[in-house]
Structures are given as C-alpha cells and as structure tokens.
Amino acid sequence: MPTHFRRDGDVALLEIDNPPVNALDLQVRSGLQAGLRRAADDPAVKAVVLCGARACFPAGADINEIASGVAFHRPILLELQAQMEALGKPIVAAIEGAALGGGFELALTCHARIGAPEARVGLPEVKLGLIPGGGGTQRFTRLAGPAAALEAITSGTELPAARALSIGLLDAIAADTVRAAVQWARRLAGGAAAPVLARAREDRIAVFEPDLFVSFRAARARAFRGQLAPWRIVDAIEAACTRPAHEGFELERQWYLECRESPQCKALMHVFHAERAARRIADIGPQVAPLPIERGGVVGAGTMGTGIAMCLANAGIEVTLLDVSREAVARGLERIGALYGESVGRGKLTGEQADAARARIRGAVEYATLADVDIAIEAVFEDPALKCQVFERLDRSTPPRAILASNTSTLDIDRLAACTSRPQQVVGTHFFSPAHVMKLMENVRGRASSPQALATVMALARRLGKIAVLAGNADGFIGNRMLQYYGAEAERLLEEGATPEQVDGVIEAFGFAMGPLAMRDLAGNDVGWAIRRNRALPADERWSPILERMAAQGRFGRKSGRGFYLYEGRERRPDPQVLALIQEVSRELGIKRRAIGAEEILARLLHPLINEGAKLLAEGVAARAGDIDVVYIHGYGFPAYKGGPMYWAEREGLAKVIATLEQLAASHGARWRPCARLREAAARGGWESA
Ligand code: COA
C-alpha cells in the first residue's frame, strides 16, 4: 500500500510511501482519504501527523497523471484538502526532503508544518506551465504575504527550511522531524483554542505595498513575456489579497485548468521528461558505476576555466586551477572571488557557502600539482595544437585512473584522445558560458571513451546541478553544429534587407532569451570569426562576409562596446554604421535589399535548426530528438515553454516543415533541402517513431 496508518499514542501517523518521490497518484490519494476517515472516526485519535516514507515528503502531484487526466479521478487533491480542513482534529505536516507542488499544498492545508533542517519546500508548477491548483497560491500568500509569494511561486524556487521558517511557511525546524511533529500535534490537540488554518489567516494579506502588483508586473514583463502561467500566478496572488477567500480559491482553480490545457504546459511536460530521458545512455546500464570524484583539475584560468572551477567547488570537489603564468592564475582567482561576491549579493549563496567553495579552489602553474586528481578538465583556447599539448601533459601528470576531459565546443575528441595513452578515459565536457550559471553540460563520447568514463561525467553533471546530454563526436557536436546554420542565416537575412534589430526582435518575440546577432556580440565576433575560419563548408555554399568585416573593424561585440549594436553597460542601441556596413555588403554581392517580414525571418531561422537536428539524429550524434531540445533550451536560450526546436517542429507538423524547407530550397539553394531523416519522421508521424 502506498500509504500507512500508524499510531503513536493519541496521534495518528499517515505516511505516504510511493517511490521514488512519493507523488500523489490516485492510489495515494485513496489511501489518504481512507486514513483521514479512520482518524476522524477513531475517538482515541486526537491529532494527525502527515509524513513521507524514506525521509521525503511528496514532491507533487503525479506528473504522468496530470498529462493523462487521472489526476482528476476522485478523490482529487481538493477533496482531500476539504476533508483535512473539516477533520476537527489538528493535522501537522512533518516535512523531510522536498515538499513540492501538490505535496507542499497538502502541507499548507495542515494546521502546522515542522521541517527537517535540510528540508526544501516550494511550488514549482510554473516550471511545468501550470499554476498550483490545490490552493497553493492562496495559502502560501496567507501565510507568508504576497511579496514572498510572488517571488517564490512565479519562479518555482525551492526554499530551504531556514528561509521557509523565516517567512512563516514553517512553524519550526527539528532534526527529529516526525517526533517533533507528533509533539506539536499533541500540543495543538490539548490547546484551549482551535488552531488556525492557513485559509483563515488574514494578517499577512491585510497590509502590503499599494503598488506591489503593478510594480511586480512591470519588473517581470520581459522575463514573463509570451508565457501564461507566471501571469496567472500573479493574478491568483493578487486575488488572494483582494477577493474573499472562496473567490480566490475558485479563481486559482479556473486558471489552473486554463494552464493545464495550454500548449505551453504540454511543451514543458515534454521538457521535464526529455531532461530525464537524456540521462539514459542506451548501451550503458546501471551496473556501470561512475568513478568517485573528489579532486579535480581545471587547465586554463580564463572565463570558461574559472567558471568550471566554481562549478566543481560548489559541489564540494577540491579544485586545482592551472594556467601557464602566475599572473593568469591570479587573474582567474580574482575573477572567481568577484563572481562569488556577486553570487552572495544576489542571494544565490550564503557568505559561508561562498567562502567554503572559494577555499576549495587553489591556483597552480605546475602540472605536478595534478598528481592526485580524479578528473582534469581542459579549458584553454580553441586551438587544436595547444589542446593536444595540454592533453599530453595531463596524461603524464595525472594518475592513470583520472578522466581527461575537454571543454572544447567544436574540436575532435578523438584527436585529443590520440595525444594521450588513455583514450578510453578521454571525453568531452562542454560547458556553456557563464559556466557557473548555465545549466547545460554537453558531454561528448569519443570513439574510445569507456562506459565508465561516460557514466562518470554524466553523474558529475548531476552532482554539479547541471542537465547533461551525451553527444557523438562530430564537428560542433549537437549545439554548435545546429547553431552554425542558424547564425549564418541571420547574416543572410541582413544581406537581403533586414536590420539586426529586426532579426533579433523576431527571435526574441518568439521567446528566445537573445537573438542570434546579440548572441554573437556576447560571445565575441572575433571568436565567432576565428571558429568559422576553421570550418569547412560544402562547395556550393559561402559564408556571408559580414562577420569577418565586423571582426576586422574591431567590432568584437559587448567586450569592445560595439558589435552588431552599440553598448552602454547592458543596454544595446542600433548603430547606423553597422547598417551602412551591411548595405555595402549587399551592394557588393549585387543583392537588391527588400523588406523582409517577421514570418519569413522566423521561418528562416528555425528551419535550419530542425533540418540540421534531423541530420544529427540520422548520424547518431544525438540519440533522441528530446536531447536536441534539451541542448537548445538550456544552452542556447530556446524558450522552454515551446518545447525545443524538434518538439516545436512536431507541433507545427513535420509535413508543413518539409513544405517550408522545399519552398526555401527553391529560392535559396540546396542547403534548405529537407533531409531523409526528416522525411522519414514525417511519414511515420513523429521523431521517436521514425
Ligand atoms: N510525478 C511523477 N514522477 C515524478 C515526479 C512527479 N511529480 N517528480 C519526479 N518524478 C520522477 C522522475 O520522472 C524520475 O523518474 P525516472 O527515474 O523514471 O526518470 C524520478 O521521479 C526521480 O526524479 P528526478 O528528477 O530524476 O530526481 P531528483 O532527485 O533529481 O529530483 C525532484 C527530485 C522531486 C526535486 C524533481 O524530480 C522534481 O522537481 N520533480 C517535479 C516536482 C514538481 O514539479 N511537482 C509539482 C507537480 S504538479
């Protein structure tokens, strides 16, 4: 049975036991209903404690049941909550592990909540395109006030126990959580006055800044643009503060149903499953144990190397950061110190956490300092000869068990492996900039990479809090290979008549964090040009000369204050000189500039991603269409609520995608021709069934 009923004297313990995360599926809900009835009917039971087996409070409704509709089979969560509130006996939640979503909504319905010191609570529904549907927005707001509710629920953040206690979501923190909850419940049962439910609390919603909602909506307008759920969450929290209780609960339910039916919710559910599926590697079973990683080396103290060192240190790994000169190392360590300062400033880490992590990183200039590392990650300049040299030295200096990884974004892992005597331990670990922030880790399998080396870097990604995808060893792997044509097309659009603002504007309106040209400016046009120079193109293709000219004129992007735009701090402004440069290129190429509509811009930027993605599937560089979606969402800013490029293509209809590509091939050349894998997928009705 997924729920257990026990007695501790006059307190009934209702324990939810539904591995792996105690999700509230139909059986659990039925078990809770029966347990609550039993507690109500037994006069010897004076109070109830709700807890989860394996030190884990329920992590939410069962996501698969939300998709299939079984979440609406009775008893639904709302009925259980009504039963709890009508029980007439105090109920206390004992929260160990993560109480999330519907799980936390159950806890919020209790009369009190006791958390373990390491407990986390939160309403992450927004990450699935939903708003909480079990009164979460209403009760959270009534307990913690609207300002805290807006921050936490619109971001879906998990709050650590201490923070939850400080804002009123928890009543106490106790190491022996269940015992403390039993005592609390007993005390409530013995009290003179009936304990107050969150639903009845008015004090925290009575007073708030008058312009709270107006200013919050304005501040988040850009971050929430195009999305449904975050706006509805704001509406629901406002309703909690401005409407009678029953109306607030009713509105939340309506908006929950609206969100649940939305394409955004379906897309985000796809992403949830794709992120987890990406961890599975077909030919590597659970019997392949990852190597333990306690010490790591990072070679290259530049932007990437320092960020990677921070990722390792944040996860408790001792790191040696190595570069050729003491000055380079000192600069790297200084940067790390500054970034930790920022993390503390933004509340991402406490001062103690930052100090502890910072203390795990030490600088070095001698390879001999890597004699005890379990993994070394190379993050030097993208130069094959230099990287080979680094791998030779790593091979000589690190213990034979150590994994040697490269952060290269494009280079051949097999060539790097050939520079060592242990190619089976050589893999790619491609981080994204800024490495201590970006979620994606594109791991790369070389020809000789052993299952254990791969299992180790996949496990390492989880430990670092990253989302990992395993790519095959092909030029540009998954991300940069697809980006190549997307980026190239942005320049073609400029040649034909568009402006940088138009191109970026269309893709940002679609939901990308940043358009392709703004992204180039961020990465550096000199770097972009250097990478492009090393890459081959089919004979009938050409690169636009725009990028080369930008680099030649010192328009490197943000770092030089000018690129496709002019920069003042983070603000970008159109630059008339860039338009002149583009017009000159058009003239030289004999292209008559024309007005290009938003629809054409979008089609010409998205379709190369899809066609190239299909080729990556055909070549086995990507194992699943979902892996490509995960790479694009977490590495390149594709809007998660649109599911990623491959998912988007399926929703558009693969036949329609093919028709668009054929049309573009007729007017713009062979690079647009739909590939065989795309045609197969269209014929069979989807990527995974092809
Ligand atoms: N319903 C059904 N299955 C769930 C689930 C849920 N709410 N939450 C997690 N799972 C499953 C995962 O799919 C995964 O299954 P798999 O092993 O077959 O891939 C398994 O539980 C473990 O989850 P995973 O995310 O891999 O473990 P983790 O330890 O990294 O994280 C959580 C655990 C609970 C923090 C994380 O799974 C999570 O955030 N879940 C979603 C919570 C949520 O959004 N709840 C609100 C739902 S309305």
Side-chain angles (χ1 to χ4, degrees), residues 50-212:
L50 203 60
C51 59
R54 295 171 311 285
C56 164
F57 207 80
D62 185 315
I63 288 179
N64 302 314
E65 281 195 355
I66 296 176
S68 67
V70 179
F72 293 90
H73 290 192
R74 300 183 66 177
I76 62 171
L77 184 63
L78 290 177
E79 288 170 313
L80 291 179
Q81 291 171 302
Q83 201 183 348
M84 287 164 73
E85 288 183 335
L87 191 69
K89 299 177 185 184
I91 311 185
V92 176
I95 302 177
E96 298 171 292
L100 302 175
F104 189 45
E105 287 179 304
L106 269 190
L108 289 171
T109 314
C110 295
H111 294 92
R113 287 147 294 281
I114 313 301
E118 74 294 346
R120 286 131 49 213
V121 303
L123 295 172
E125 284 85 347
V126 71
K127 296 182 183 166
L128 294 169
L130 287 168
I131 87 167
T137 58
Q138 307 301 297
R139 292 190 179 90
F140 190 122
T141 306
R142 285 167 177 273
L143 287 171
L150 286 169
E151 286 294 334
I153 312 176
T154 60
S155 63
T157 312
E158 289 176 15
L159 304 171
R163 168 89 183 130
L165 178 71
S166 74
I167 62 173
L169 294 173
L170 292 182
D171 296 85
I173 294 178
D176 195 348
T177 320
V178 177
R179 219 166 77 98
V182 168
Q183 283 165 358
W184 199 285
R186 204 165 272 143
R187 214 168 40 243
L188 287 180
V196 182
L197 289 165
R199 172 191 282 278
R201 285 274 299 274
E202 301 279 344
D203 50 318
R204 304 302 302 271
I205 55 170
V207 201
F208 55 89
E209 293 293 320
D211 68 344
L212 175 69

Side-chain angles (χ1 to χ4, degrees), residues 613-615 617-618 623 625 674-682 686-690:
K615 289 180 201 164
L617 286 174
C675 74
R677 181 66 172 74
L678 175 53
R679 290 187 188 282
E680 257 172 61
W687 298 114
E688 300 310 341
S689 48

Side-chain angles (χ1 to χ4, degrees), residues 20-21 23 59 61-63 66 101 120 124 128 272 276 279-280 462:
V21 296
D62 185 315
I63 288 179
I66 296 176
R120 286 131 49 213
L128 294 169
F272 179 88
R276 281 151 188 85
R279 290 181 201 147
R280 293 190 265 275
R462 279 199 84 175

